Amino acid sequence: METASFKIYTSISQLPANWDKIAVNNAFLQTAYLKVLEASAPVNMQCFYIGIFENSELTGVALAQYLNLNLLESFGERDNCLKTVIRNFVFKNFASHALFLGNNMITGQNGYAFSKETDFKHISELLLQCADAISLYFKKKKTTIHIVSFKDFYQHCAVELKKYSFSNVYEFNTQPNMVFELRPEWNTNEDYVASFSKKYRDQYKRAHKKCEEIEVRELQYEEIILHEERIYDLYHHVAKNAPFNTFFLAKNHFSTFKKQLQDQFVICGYFLNGKLVGFHTLLINGDVLETYFLGYDDHIQKEKMLYLNMLYNMTKYGIENQFKKIIFGRTALEIKSSIGAQPIMMSGFIYHNNPLINRFIDSIFKRLEPTLEWQQRHPFKD
């Protein structure tokens, strides 16, 4: 890799013809998904696609995203404590131009892929060089990138990166990624339910009974178009009530996703008396099922235990279609653990382009990151 170089693209049409051969094992780096981002990215996001070459041969691909937080309607409306007010002020004034190496829209190590074994020394060097190149691109446009973040690494990768160029970059851990490793002996949903202890089997039955009046069905492209406004309203309600946001999806995001990825993207609608009251989405990523965005009517959710039923339904889909694991992502850790998901710690790296602020980035970050307390549940008999 001594002769490694990279090229940054701003359009899918510019990408090398063999891009997808490099990204074959990660749907979030393949052009079908990247076209979704290009056509329906959040209004405050610009994507960059990075080709990594060795002796002019494409050997790696990566994704970067620029976010202009000044264009954001809200950072999140759920928490109104003083820490949240201060955090929002700091982000608005000192971190409004953010660059992410990786995908800020999903949880997991989806930032890069290589066609051959690549050591972490060169990966760390390349990621930092790419960040510098994109920061310079914006500087020429009279925009200063405030913070640069390298998103979501599994612990063993983070340890390796710290040995090299990332040694002086602040490492942080936020909420864990909730991952459900599906047991090979579960061939049906009944097998899964039977493995619960009595307490959690009763929870399943109670939630299931609450949702008896709800019709759940997979939506095809034409139905997504028909319900697009309602789908967005349900998503937006959930998103704006999250503790913190850096983007909001475009209104055409889900229909664009379905049109582009077809059977690889699943969206299920929840109907009560013919009215759409919720939805969840899934992305098929090889033998891994990735949960994506969802939305619901808050009143119906409380009355019908809608969110818990969504988690059960996503699990059922994963088991019946023989996926090895389900990535449930961050947030709602306790309820996700109650259906069987386990917390997997992930690391990110971050620095501020202002040397003075960056000097104190560790203490600043710790003060701004909300403290999360939760109890992990253990729903199975053994």
Side-chain angles (χ1 to χ4, degrees), residues 240-275:
K240 75 177 182 179
N241 284 288
F244 186 65
N245 284 306
T246 55
F247 64 88
F248 288 96
L249 296 175
K251 288 191 176 181
N252 68 337
H253 186 74
F254 298 107
S255 61
T256 303
F257 217 134
K258 186 64 177 176
K259 185 177 183 180
Q260 184 62 45
L261 274 86
Q262 300 181 27
D263 291 343
Q264 202 176 354
F265 179 70
V266 177
I267 177 166
C268 289
Y270 292 67
F271 294 85
L272 180 61
N273 300 323
K275 182 181 180 182

Side-chain angles (χ1 to χ4, degrees), residues 303-319:
E303 180 188 343
K304 302 295 185 182
M305 299 175 74
L306 205 56
Y307 181 69
L308 181 56
N309 276 290
M310 287 180 179
L311 296 178
Y312 286 135
N313 288 338
M314 289 186 271
T315 301
K316 179 182 178 183
Y317 185 94
I319 292 169

Side-chain angles (χ1 to χ4, degrees), residues 179-181 192 196 335-342 377 379-380:
V179 178
F180 196 173
E181 301 274 355
Y192 163 64
F196 282 136
I335 193 170
K336 287 174 181 175
S337 74
S338 79
I339 61 107
Q342 298 279 330
R377 302 297 178 175
F380 301 116

Side-chain angles (χ1 to χ4, degrees), residues 276-333:
L276 184 68
V277 295
F279 74 93
H280 75 251
T281 56
L282 300 164
L283 179 69
I284 295 168
N285 191 3
D287 58 8
V288 176
L289 189 62
E290 308 262 1
T291 65
Y292 200 53
F293 293 95
L294 54 74
Y296 49 72
D297 181 309
D298 206 35
H299 299 293
I300 304 297
Q301 131 68 13
K302 290 176 181 175
E303 180 188 343
K304 302 295 185 182
M305 299 175 74
L306 205 56
Y307 181 69
L308 181 56
N309 276 290
M310 287 180 179
L311 296 178
Y312 286 135
N313 288 338
M314 289 186 271
T315 301
K316 179 182 178 183
Y317 185 94
I319 292 169
E320 292 181 344
N321 290 278
Q322 298 183 312
F323 288 93
K324 288 187 176 179
K325 62 183 174 181
I326 305 174
I327 307 295
F328 278 107
R330 298 187 173 97
T331 72
L333 309 181

Side-chain angles (χ1 to χ4, degrees), residues 30-49:
Q30 293 165 13
T31 53
Y33 170 77
L34 298 180
K35 285 177 181 176
V36 176
L37 293 187
E38 187 169 68
S40 63
V43 293
N44 67 325
M45 176 183 288
Q46 181 179 353
C47 293
F48 296 86
Y49 319 102

Side-chain angles (χ1 to χ4, degrees), residues 8-11 46-48 66 99 129-145:
I8 297 171
Y9 307 92
T10 55
S11 170
Q46 181 179 353
C47 293
F48 296 86
Y66 160 72
L99 176 63
Q129 288 168 10
C130 290
D132 288 343
I134 298 173
S135 295
L136 181 60
Y137 166 88
F138 279 101
K139 188 175 182 180
K140 290 177 179 177
K141 292 178 172 288
K142 309 298 183 186
T143 297
T144 299
I145 296 294

Side-chain angles (χ1 to χ4, degrees), residues 5-24:
S5 61
F6 62 88
K7 186 172 182 179
I8 297 171
Y9 307 92
T10 55
S11 170
I12 303 297
S13 62
Q14 301 169 340
L15 300 185
N18 58 336
W19 180 282
D20 283 343
K21 289 183 179 179
I22 310 299
V24 65

